[in-house]
Every structure is written in C-alpha cells, then in structure tokens.
Amino acid sequence: MQKGAAGPVATQPGRCRRGRLGGGGDPVGGLPFPLGLRHDGERAAFRRPRQPSGETVYDPLSQDISELGADLASGATTSLQLVEAYLARIAAHDKKGAAINAMTWLCDDAAAQARQLDQERANGLVRGPLHGVPIVVKDNIDLAGLPTTAGSALLREHRPARDASVVRRLRQAGAIVLGKTNMSEFACSNGRYGYGSLAGLTLNPYNRARNAAGSSSGSGAAVAAGFAAAALGTDTFGSVRAPACVAGLAGLRPTLGLIPVDGILPLSLSFDTVGPLARRVRDVALLLRSMACAVPGGERGEYLDALDAGALRGQRIGVVADFPGEDEEVQAIVGQSLDRLRDLGAVLVDLRVPAPATALHPILLAPLADAEWPGQLDEYLKKSLGAAPLTMAQLVDAATAWSAACPTHDVNPRTLAGMRRALEAARQQTAVERARAQATLAGFRAALMQRMRQEDVTALVFPTLSCPASPRYDQPDPSYVEHPGNPYAALYVASAAGLPEISVPAGRARAGVPVGLSFMGAPHDEARLLGLAYAFEQSVGARLEPVLEDAGASGAAGGVRTGGLQV
C-alpha cells in the first residue's frame, strides 16, 4: 500500500474529460484525463519513436542484462537503439495491440540518457554491467520531473522534488530509466490486482484473461512483455514476489532495510522494501549490487560470486509443510521442483513455520500496517511540489468525490474502505498497544530463526502462490478452479520476519500462466539465496516468452514462445 495526498483534485465532480494518446492517438481506455506528461508539463504520452537507422531494428525482447551488456560492448547495438526498440515495443503493445497496459508515464529524456551513456562508452568509460541498460520503475517510486501517483488519479499532480535514493543509485550505475509502471492503487490490490483509477487494469502477458498479481503488476508485466530489461517494484506483503511469479520472472524481496526506501510512497515502513524483477536470477544479482545500501559481512560483488550451478549440492533446505499449494497443478509443479532439488544434491527436510503461520496477516501484519499508514503517508505527501491532496483524510474525501463522478475509473471500494479503517486505527491505537504489537512481531521473527537453526537449514522453499494466476476482477474465467484460502499466505512469512525471499519460475499451468517457487533465507544472506535460486533456475532451462498479439485478433489469451516457437 502507499499513502495519499491532500487538497482538492484537479478534475472536480462532473468535469471528467476523456484523455487521448499524445499526438492524437486512440483513447486511453476512456481515461477521464490525459495520460502522460512531458518533463516540461506538455502532454506527450506514448508517442511512437523514430526507428534507428539501418534496415533492421535490434530486438532485445528475450535478452537478459548480461546479454545486452555483451552486445553493447561488442557494438552489436547501442543504448540509444535499445531505448528505441523498447519504446517501439511499448507503442505497439501497451495501449494498442495486446494492450497490456503496464506503463503509466514515459521519461522524455530517455533518449538523451542513452546518448550520454553511449558517448561515455565511446570514450572508454563504462560504469558497470548496467551501463546503458533500460529499466522501468513502479509508480510509487519517485522520479524527478514525473508524478508519483501510486496508480491513483488523485495523485496525478503529485510531483517529487528528486529521484528516490534507489533510483539515484541505479542511474549512477549507468541504468537508463524509461518510465513508470502501473500498479494496484496505493499498493492495495483488494481483489483488483493491477487496477488503479489512473490507468485502469494491467493485463497478464501470458494470458490476458488472468490477473498480473499485485501490487507491482505493471513492473512484472512490462518486463515479461519486453518493454524493458528489468524493473523495480515495492514489496510490503508480496508485491514483488507475486507479480514475478505470474509473469515468469525472478523477483526478490530483500532483507528489510537493505534497500533505501526514501522517496517511496509508503504503505507501512515496518514492512516496505524495494525489490528488482528481471528475466534471470543473474539480472537480479546485478541490480541488487547497485541498489543495496549496506551488505553486512561482505562486499556487493559477492552476489555475483555466489551464482554457481552447483550451489544446491549438500545444502539442507526446509520444505514448508504449512504451504504445500492448494491447486493440484501447483502441487504437481512443486513436487517436480522438489525432485529437481534432490537431483541437484539438496537435502530436503520438512519444516513448519511457528504460529501464527497461516494467519499472519490478520493477526500481526494488518493491525500494524493500518495504524502506520496514515501518518507515514501524510509525512511523505508533505514534500509534494504539486497541487495534490496532502493527507490521507483529504485523499479519502477526494476519492469519494472522484468515484461518484467517474464510476468507470473509480477508486477500488475495498481500498477506500481500508483507508477509512486505517484512519480509525491510527486514531485509536495507543503507544502501549503499538509496542505490544511490535513485540509480538519480534517474537515471531525470533521463533522462525530459532526453528531454522534447530533444523540446520540454509533456506526454506515453498510455492510462491498457492494457485495459478486467478481471473482478472472484471471478467470471469470458467476454466479457473476456485480454492479456499489466501493464495498469498506464504508470502507473509518473509514480510513478517524481514527475511529475503526470491521467486523463480518453476513451471506453467494449463492456462499458460507461469508458476513460481520461492526460496527464503536468513537476514542479509542474499548472496547464498541467489546462488540457490540460480542453481535451480539453470536446471529448469530456457525461459518461455509470451507471444503478444492484437487483443481483438487473438482474444483474451496470449501464447508462449521459446526460441521463437509458440508452444
């Protein structure tokens, strides 16, 4: 979740306007305002870029960061050509074509960033493996010159004064920021995974009848759809890991505190972190070494040094019995994955998470997050340079008016109810009650670490989500089998304990959507965790890329390809 703002919303009730693509394109899903702003404030969303010179356009679709870096180093492509190729892909399939709807804003200076980095390379200056590689960031992460909306139309005038710290770190490492991605509004999915009143619903590139998970929905979908080489998301209660799972990506929630969170619109700073999503575990390691602000007991380079195909050999891995998966397809894929781990030399032991393992969210997480949300959001919004609401209370009033005036782009009613509940919780929770809740949380963290030490396990393993991606909220899918319980329940363990967890692709359900396997490790043990995930990933084989076709021609479902072949 993220927090809101104060003051009147620019578009008053009864004055909603239909926005259009920059340059007079097709309507943007009936949005009641123009989507996308230039850095100078002019409308400029999603213009088709000019093509690079030459007869063919470089296609980076299935390239990982290391491959892109090698091509940049050899002169097979340039950073400018990469930017233009990704922008062409966005123009073809974000609002048109397959209409994935992963992007909210594009940076007008992306080409200028690329030219500068190309010139540095020509002069013999290469900042590192991210030099000249285009990425995108979730729209609750500050980029100077663009709004930070958290997916909400109410914050489209909220402008930060500077980049978030994590963005500055990646720019210093040579990454090019192409733009910002759509998300569940205020980072609260509440049944509408990937939906916000700003830009509407993000679709899953593998099957557009299924959701893209949340809340970093646009970040996962953008990388899977070939809109960028990698993305940043935020994770409070699963919002990096779940989108990575259903988009066939590697997605990491780092140890709490490893990544700076200033310049991030907050949900609950007791649990919020930034995490990378990318095609490969190696890409995640490359991003993490530039993102991390501290690496206790080691150097950043160790993330890469740990990537060894034999890393699982002799390691004791705890199989979390509390979360076997509810769906038979997920159970079958997990079973195959466990066999694969044994074949790779891992020693598997059954392990149960201390209570309240399956009820962490209602008992521990939600009460703390609700009480923190209003004050932390208000503090963040005070720094806005634009005419946006400045408190959660003002956001609630603005959201109520907006939803009445623009019902086709309303604020999720459950999220609006959650904001009201959070305001009440913040008023009622005493310092003593808060201290008691924090102590209970600390007790759970200590009990989990004690259990891992007792079993002498390096990491825990479990299905990232207990079911395949469910149908999008706005249309049923009769092929989906409903199951009781919360498919995100396993993800709350790392959130509650502040531990690192990475999701990697493990297989694919009949609906074509990927299924992920999670590895969770000890605090600040990202290097070893990345090594385990890398070894598993290498055994799985080639990543399956989605095939994007025009939504009107191919219906809701997309396809999957490997090596250019649809399967």
Side-chain angles (χ1 to χ4, degrees):
M1 285 161 129
Q2 311 308 1
K3 328 259 165 137
V9 179
T11 301
Q12 299 298 326
R15 297 182 58 192
C16 294
R17 307 188 305 275
R18 177 179 292 276
R20 303 184 71 82
L21 296 176
D26 296 329
V28 184
L31 284 173
F33 52 86
L35 177 68
L37 297 176
R38 300 175 65 100
H39 279 205
D40 59 8
E42 297 176 13
R43 300 176 191 177
F46 305 106
R47 296 159 296 152
R48 183 173 295 279
R50 62 180 178 80
Q51 299 298 333
S53 58
E55 295 182 0
T56 60
V57 177
Y58 180 80
D59 180 11
L61 170 62
S62 60
Q63 305 281 75
D64 62 32
I65 290 176
S66 295
E67 292 167 334
L68 293 175
D71 287 343
L72 287 165
S74 70
T77 189
T78 66
S79 295
L80 181 59
Q81 287 174 328
L82 286 182
V83 165
E84 291 178 321
Y86 284 124
L87 290 178
R89 180 79 167 175
I90 291 169
H93 285 297
D94 193 56
K95 300 297 180 266
K96 301 178 181 178
I100 300 302
N101 197 35
M103 304 299 299
T104 53
W105 311 95
L106 292 179
C107 294
D108 243 16
D109 66 346
Q113 295 177 58
R115 290 189 185 95
Q116 176 186 335
L117 290 161
D118 282 338
Q119 187 60 55
E120 288 182 9
R121 186 181 293 275
N123 293 339
L125 171 61
V126 178
R127 304 187 190 190
L130 298 181
H131 188 108
V133 174
I135 65 169
V136 291
V137 304
K138 187 177 180 180
D139 199 2
N140 61 345
I141 299 175
D142 285 350
L143 286 182
L146 288 179
T148 300
T149 72
S152 179
L154 310 175
L155 293 181
R156 65 193 184 277
E157 299 299 330
H158 165 57
R159 291 177 175 271
R162 60 188 300 193
D163 289 344
S165 285
V166 68
V167 173
R168 294 198 300 273
R169 288 175 178 272
L170 288 170
R171 288 195 197 273
Q172 290 165 3
I176 297 169
V177 182
L178 282 180
K180 307 186 80 172
T181 58
N182 196 26
M183 57 183 286
S184 303
E185 191 158 4
F186 300 122
C188 303
S189 293
N190 287 322
R192 295 187 180 185
Y193 299 101
Y195 170 82
S197 60
L198 176 77
L201 180 66
T202 293
L203 305 185
N204 189 319
Y206 286 91
N207 184 337
R208 295 188 294 276
R210 298 295 180 91
N211 73 62
S215 64
S216 304
S217 321
S219 291
V223 177
F227 295 167
L232 296 187
T234 60
D235 191 306
T236 306
F237 302 133
S239 294
V240 163
R241 295 159 285 166
C245 172
V246 304
L249 305 173
L252 173 71
R253 175 191 170 89
T255 301
L256 188 68
L258 182 65
I259 309 296
V261 293
D262 62 295
I264 311 298
L265 189 147
L267 171 56
S268 171
L269 293 177
S270 289
F271 309 106
D272 291 347
T273 186
V274 181
L277 301 92
R279 282 185 170 78
R280 291 288 184 180
V281 173
R282 179 177 292 276
D283 293 353
V284 168
L286 288 169
L287 289 159
L288 185 64
R289 68 195 296 265
S290 294
M291 295 166 63
C293 59
V295 186
E299 298 296 328
R300 291 191 179 103
E302 75 179 81
Y303 295 144
L304 298 177
D305 296 340
L307 303 183
D308 179 359
L312 280 158
R313 192 175 300 115
Q315 298 295 319
R316 285 175 60 85
I317 306 295
V319 180
V320 181
D322 309 85
F323 307 109
E326 296 184 57
D327 180 88
E328 63 178 14
E329 288 189 274
V330 171
Q331 292 171 352
I333 290 170
V334 171
Q336 294 164 6
S337 298
L338 297 181
D339 289 340
R340 190 182 300 276
L341 293 176
R342 293 187 187 95
D343 291 343
L344 292 168
V347 178
L348 303 186
V349 296
D350 288 338
L351 180 148
R352 286 197 172 273
V353 174
T358 58
L360 281 167
H361 192 268
I363 292 177
L364 288 180
L365 306 183
L368 272 171
D370 282 351
E372 287 185 359
W373 190 16
Q376 291 173 359
L377 183 58
D378 291 358
E379 188 64 28
Y380 168 85
L381 290 172
K382 286 179 184 177
K383 303 169 186 175
S384 174
L385 301 181
L390 295 176
T391 67
M392 181 181 281
Q394 292 176 356
L395 270 178
V396 167
D397 291 342
T400 303
W402 172 272
S403 297
C406 307
T408 59
H409 294 278
D410 64 336
V411 175
N412 185 342
R414 288 174 58 186
T415 297
L416 185 53
M419 295 170 78
R420 293 190 176 103
R421 184 176 62 248
L423 285 168
E424 186 63 23
R427 281 191 290 266
Q428 291 187 354
Q429 189 180 69
T430 66
V432 171
E433 289 171 334
R434 176 171 174 75
R436 187 181 301 125
Q438 290 284 9
T440 303
L441 185 64
F444 171 78
R445 291 170 173 167
L448 178 59
M449 293 310 303
Q450 178 65 18
R451 184 70 50 86
M452 292 177 68
R453 285 191 294 269
Q454 287 173 344
E455 298 293 341
D456 190 26
V457 294
T458 301
L460 305 182
V461 67
F462 47 88
T464 306
L465 295 175
S466 64
C467 302
S470 58
R472 41 193 280 190
Y473 83 93
D474 60 341
Q475 64 182 41
D477 181 350
S479 70
Y480 183 72
V481 179
E482 295 278 355
H483 294 278
N486 184 345
Y488 283 61
L491 300 180
Y492 301 147
V493 176
S495 295
L499 300 181
E501 178 189 327
I502 185 169
S503 176
V504 290
R508 197 157 48 95
R510 286 187 295 270
V513 291
V515 172
L517 187 73
S518 275
F519 293 82
M520 183 173 68
H524 296 290
D525 203 15
E526 275 82 359
R528 180 153 46 177
L529 195 66
L530 288 165
L532 301 178
Y534 176 83
F536 176 78
E537 175 193 67
Q538 295 304 296
S539 74
V540 172
R543 181 178 180 275
L544 300 175
E545 301 283 352
V547 174
L548 302 187
E549 300 171 343
D550 288 357
S554 61
V560 180
R561 73 180 184 187
T562 177
L565 299 176
Q566 186 164 345
V567 296

